[in-house]
Amino acid sequence: MKKLLLIGILSVFAFANEAASGTDIVPRVINFLIFAAILWYLVGNKAIAFFRNRKEEIANKFQKVENELKAAKQKKEELQATLEEAEIKAKEIVEDAKKEAEFIYNKIIEETKEELAILEKHFEEAKVNEIRKAKKEAVKAFLENVLKDVHLSSEDAAKLVLKVA
């Protein structure tokens, strides 16, 4: 109502000014102001309500996007922490694998050395046995050659060998 009263007062001043200027601009302005006032009276509340609702919708959408952004940042931080934890765990696994490989390597080397020592011992024993065997065979062959020409009994030969030894 105040707006209509204001328009009415403005129109009075406008008509008072019309006589002096002699143009039709003042009535046109007054008609436009009346038209704008009627239009505002009919559509103004709906336009205000529309823009308020639109403002609230935009604010809600903005809030929703901010919440999603915060959730995404939090998820990113969680995943980053998980990634760092996984990298640390992977390094530990690699270190453990290296230690285990070194342990297995040392164990194999030790077992191989032990087996080599055992094989050398068996070889030495076999070599000593073979030398004894070869000596016995050589002595036997020598005695057979020597005793071929000499006719001694085995008892006499044994006595002879015992005396020499």
Side-chain angles (χ1 to χ4, degrees):
M1 285 305 228
K2 291 181 183 179
K3 292 179 184 178
L4 290 176
L5 182 62
L6 180 63
I7 292 173
I9 292 172
L10 286 176
S11 65
V12 170
F13 287 121
F15 285 122
N17 194 16
E18 182 181 343
S21 67
T23 61
D24 65 344
I25 189 78
V26 174
R28 286 185 185 187
V29 169
I30 292 174
N31 284 339
F32 175 75
L33 290 176
I34 292 172
F35 173 73
I38 292 172
L39 186 64
W40 181 256
Y41 179 75
L42 295 175
V43 181
N45 290 335
K46 292 178 184 176
I48 290 173
F50 171 78
F51 286 114
R52 280 187 187 151
N53 289 337
R54 180 71 179 143
K55 180 181 174 184
E56 290 174 6
E57 287 176 7
I58 292 171
N60 290 338
K61 285 182 182 180
F62 183 72
Q63 187 66 34
K64 183 180 176 184
V65 169
E66 280 186 342
N67 290 340
E68 289 175 358
L69 181 63
K70 286 179 184 177
K73 284 183 180 178
Q74 183 178 5
K75 183 83 172 183
K76 179 185 173 188
E77 290 174 2
E78 290 173 1
L79 291 175
Q80 189 73 21
T82 304
L83 177 64
E84 290 173 4
E85 185 178 310
E87 287 176 350
I88 291 170
K89 199 169 194 176
K91 288 179 182 177
E92 289 175 359
I93 290 171
V94 168
E95 289 175 13
D96 289 345
K98 285 181 181 178
K99 288 178 184 176
E100 187 174 342
E102 186 177 336
F103 175 75
I104 291 171
Y105 173 77
N106 290 336
K107 186 177 178 183
I108 289 172
I109 293 294
E110 189 65 32
E111 289 176 357
T112 304
K113 287 180 181 178
E114 289 174 5
E115 285 182 29
L116 185 59
I118 291 170
L119 287 174
E120 286 177 354
K121 182 180 176 184
H122 286 304
F123 175 73
E124 289 296 323
E125 290 173 0
K127 186 170 89 172
V128 168
N129 286 338
E130 286 296 320
I131 290 172
R132 281 186 197 157
K133 196 183 211 184
K135 284 181 182 179
K136 283 182 184 180
E137 287 179 9
V139 169
K140 184 179 177 183
F142 177 72
L143 286 178
E144 284 178 3
N145 279 336
V146 170
L147 293 179
K148 216 194 264 184
D149 295 335
V150 177
H151 296 293
L152 289 174
S153 67
S154 58
E155 290 177 8
D156 292 331
K159 287 179 187 177
L160 188 65
V161 171
L162 288 175
K163 285 182 183 180
V164 174

